Amino acid sequence: MNRRLVIKNLTWLAGTAALLPGCLSQTEREQPASMPLKHVALNARDENLLTEVCETLLPRTNTPGAKDLHIPRYVLKMLDDCTPPKDQQTFVGGLKQFDDVARKQLGQAFGASSAAQRTGLLQRLDQQPKGFPDEVVAFYRAARQLTIDGYKGSQFFMTKEVVYELVPSRYNGYFPVSQLNLAVPRHGQS
Amino acid sequence: MANLNIDSVKARTFDAIVIGSGMSGGWAAKDLTEKGLKTLMVERGRNVEHIKDYPTTNMMPWEFPHGGKVPYDVQQANPIASRCYVFKEDAMHFVVKDVEHPYVQEKPFDWIRGYQVGGKSLLWARQTQRWSKYDFEGPARDGFAVPWPIGYDDLAPWYSTVEKFAGISGNHDGLPALPDGEFLPGYPLNAVEDHFRKHLKQSHPDRHVISARCAHLSEPKPVHIAQGRVQCQNRVLCQRGCPFGGYFSANSSTIPWALKTGLLTVAPNQVVQAILYDEQKGRATGIRVMDAHTKTTTEYYAPILFVNAGALNTNLILLNSTSSRFPKGLGNDSGVLGKYVAFHNYSARVSAEYEGLKEFTTDGRNPAGGGYVPRFRNVFKQEMDFLRGYATSFGASRGRVQPDSGFGPDLKQQLEKPALTPWGVHAGMMGETIPKETNYVRLDPTRKDEWGVPLLSISVAYDDNDEKMKQDFFTQFSEMFTQAGFTNIKTNDSHQAPGLDIHEMGGVRMGQDPKTSMLNKWNQLHACPNVYVTDGAAMTSTSTQNPSLTYMALTARAVDHAVSELKKQNLKTT
């Protein structure tokens, strides 16, 4: 079996794991995440759950969604490299609790639920956080912010949506808002 | 630098040695070589060549692995550097890491350093204002420190020289407290900065909002083109190093200029341990350096030396240059070496919002950063219950609304077509601090760094004058902001340690009297006149201006003097 095939199968396994949580063996549960992590203890299953949360936060519409733009990997990297240990623990603890909450409220894993169910759960978490454990809310808020950061910092967003200008070569301190094209706002415009 | 290892005194002898390659060292090298002197410039850090060694300069935001942020482990390992605003993913390679270059804090002091060819001139905020006569007259008038041995008229022609070569943008504002200079066109104020300017003109005729003066080529002249620099492109990514040479740095300007003469030898990775003093000849003869990597020591010789290591490192080198003639450090007969260190108080901000002028925003980026309010307190006479005063940076900008709840397609749409926020305005205080004997640096008695140099021990703190001045700043700007119609006014005391302003000055102060100062009016050590100190260490007082322009003007003036003295054989006498 060549290496690429192994990776493919691993991905398939990880996907299956999310779909068939009851049938998980110890080994499957402990498949590592898709990137090396130095600080946070998240496995492939956790990563899958995180990926689904990211995609629900910023889904594919007529523009690419979180998965298309590899934002879950950005979230993992920022969590692992740039987040203080205390917040990492809260995030990881909150993610695991979120898994339990989803199973309780949706009757199945978040990843196995319908789009409407996922949206419904995040809607409650977003609008009525008091009904959820603190750590779950903290996880949601942090995941949401990192997903937004990843989206706004992505090459897609900065070349197709806001058009980042490395070399603006101009400054106008009295730029009329009426001339601002909000459909294609430019980074140089504050 | 294999050619430097030739084991002969002759090969290690130059007409002049410059210690340090930053703002003032680069200028010294330029002027010395232009005047025909074979010059050695030693730098303790690595080489950084213009453009070639700016690894991040053309990186897009999404190309940074952490979106521009510094990894947590790096922050934890470098708490001091991490407090500096340029210590981000795009420029952290130009800032000294705490662990690599330890020092002793007798009191909290954030010492921000840039050990590389070009020093901190790569990273500076590029604000450039002349001192006025009122600044030079401060210590004598108000009875602190010692009187400056020079006045505005002594330095004015040298300000002009520096401004023309470096390229300073600004307007002719005609203010006695902030003399005009040789300006390229100034950058404009934006709608709200201009609103505040007009308003202040009515409410406080003695207070002014001007366009910040900065070292950017708004309209390059032939002398800038000749340096290989072109017009500033408004990138405002200066801290990465600028491929256009749009702002002034030693790397883009003075060092390549000096290299073109064929008379400059740049020696990076050379840590100066001490300046050598010859008791018979009664003068300094050279320097002893240790290679940062191989740890071998070498001596270099020259009839004149310029010490431009950066204010506190200049103190360190002089303190460590002991001999039986100077047991307390080179030129330190008075005992004031290392004392009367001062800085700028940058710990106070006032922010607010403005609901007006919503029909305008900005387009592009302003390299000058916005407006500047020159000092208006105690300028012409003592009026307040504190000495001296503060200048203020003032800016306004609009941001984009980011929804703090919600998700899904709605959130995506809001991110893609974000609404504009109202204008935010901010004022940042830049306060003069009073040099005191109790604010000092000294050598740690026991600990040394890996190059055999004692660690510098720093004891610098704020005082009551700083506190009173800060409260006045808060009161005045809150009031002026209210009158200008700004709302949601907030004062912010950062309580930041001295040092983070990156304007540390003094310790080797200028003065008329050798009993109370280290340097004469030409920046020569009173007791060892072939050694010139023209960086921040020379400052007798600090005033409120960003200091780099003054360091360079002092350097240009001192080089002119040194070369004429050398011609008259005045510096070679035994």
Side-chain angles (χ1 to χ4, degrees), chain A residues 39 56-61 63-64 77-78 81-85 119 122-123 126 140-141 144-145 148 151-153 155 157-159 161 164-177 180 182 185-190, chain B residues 57-62 65-67 69-73 188-191 193-194 198 233-235 237 240 244 358-366 398-400 402-409 411-412 415-418 420 423:
Chain A
H39 302 293
T56 311
L57 285 165
L58 289 177
R60 180 191 291 173
T61 52
T63 57
K77 182 147 188 76
M78 294 304 284
D81 286 354
C82 294
T83 306
T119 305
L122 289 202
Q123 188 72 31
D126 193 273
Y140 171 74
R141 303 299 310 172
R144 179 181 176 278
Q145 190 57 50
I148 291 173
Y151 184 61
K152 288 172 70 180
Q155 183 171 2
F157 188 81
M158 295 196 114
T159 54
E161 297 291 348
Y164 173 79
E165 291 178 294
L166 189 67
V167 185
S169 305
R170 68 183 186 286
Y171 178 65
N172 181 351
Y174 274 89
F175 191 83
V177 169
L180 208 56
L182 280 177
R186 291 186 289 195
H187 181 90
Q189 296 164 336
S190 61
Chain B
T57 190
N58 284 326
M59 281 174 69
M60 292 294 189
W62 58 87
H66 302 97
K69 293 196 176 67
V70 177
Y72 182 76
D73 290 352
L189 296 175
N190 67 33
E193 290 158 0
D194 211 19
K198 289 178 198 152
Q233 299 294 310
N234 307 67
R235 294 173 8 128
L237 299 171
R240 301 179 182 181
F244 300 97
K358 279 185 170 165
E359 64 273 31
F360 293 111
T361 182
T362 59
D363 177 51
R365 296 179 211 130
N366 182 2
R398 299 186 77 174
R400 300 284 178 158
Q402 186 186 294
D404 52 16
S405 67
F407 66 94
L411 173 63
K412 241 175 122 180
L415 296 174
E416 287 163 11
K417 294 176 185 173
L420 284 168
W423 290 89

Side-chain angles (χ1 to χ4, degrees), chain A residues 83-145:
Chain A
T83 306
K86 200 165 152 281
D87 296 341
Q88 286 173 338
Q89 283 160 21
T90 306
F91 191 101
V92 171
L95 173 75
K96 309 234 182 230
Q97 282 189 54
F98 175 82
D99 190 22
D100 297 339
V101 167
R103 284 165 200 281
K104 247 179 241 157
Q105 295 200 6
L106 309 177
Q108 58 194 329
F110 186 78
S113 306
S114 69
Q117 284 178 306
R118 294 185 207 184
T119 305
L121 177 58
L122 289 202
Q123 188 72 31
R124 292 191 290 281
L125 199 40
D126 193 273
Q127 299 300 318
Q128 293 137 17
K130 280 184 183 149
F132 294 86
D134 289 349
E135 252 190 349
V136 173
V137 177
F139 156 71
Y140 171 74
R141 303 299 310 172
R144 179 181 176 278
Q145 190 57 50

Side-chain angles (χ1 to χ4, degrees), chain B residues 311-312 314-316 318-319 330 336-341 505-511 517-520 523 525 533 535-540:
Chain B
L312 298 190
T314 287
N315 276 272
L316 173 60
L318 294 181
L319 285 163
L330 186 65
V336 299
L337 175 59
K339 296 173 182 169
Y340 301 95
V341 170
M505 291 177 238
V508 194
R509 70 182 178 190
M510 296 172 76
S517 65
M518 291 289 295
L519 303 171
N520 69 13
N523 292 77
L525 283 174
V533 176
D535 63 9
M539 301 297 278
T540 308

Side-chain angles (χ1 to χ4, degrees), chain B residues 62-126:
Chain B
W62 58 87
E63 294 177 315
F64 290 96
H66 302 97
K69 293 196 176 67
V70 177
Y72 182 76
D73 290 352
V74 179
Q75 284 184 46
Q76 290 302 105
N78 300 284
I80 297 160
S82 291
R83 286 193 277 273
C84 175
Y85 66 101
V86 294
F87 195 73
K88 298 273 156 53
E89 201 169 24
D90 65 345
M92 53 196 274
H93 49 283
F94 290 142
V95 181
V96 161
K97 309 294 176 293
D98 299 7
V99 67
E100 290 168 15
H101 298 283
Y103 61 96
V104 182
Q105 300 180 61
E106 294 178 33
K107 291 169 183 168
F109 188 91
D110 290 335
W111 191 15
I112 308 298
R113 293 155 290 170
Y115 289 169
Q116 60 254 330
V117 168
K120 296 189 295 272
S121 79
L122 272 173
L123 300 167
W124 66 316
R126 311 165 312 280

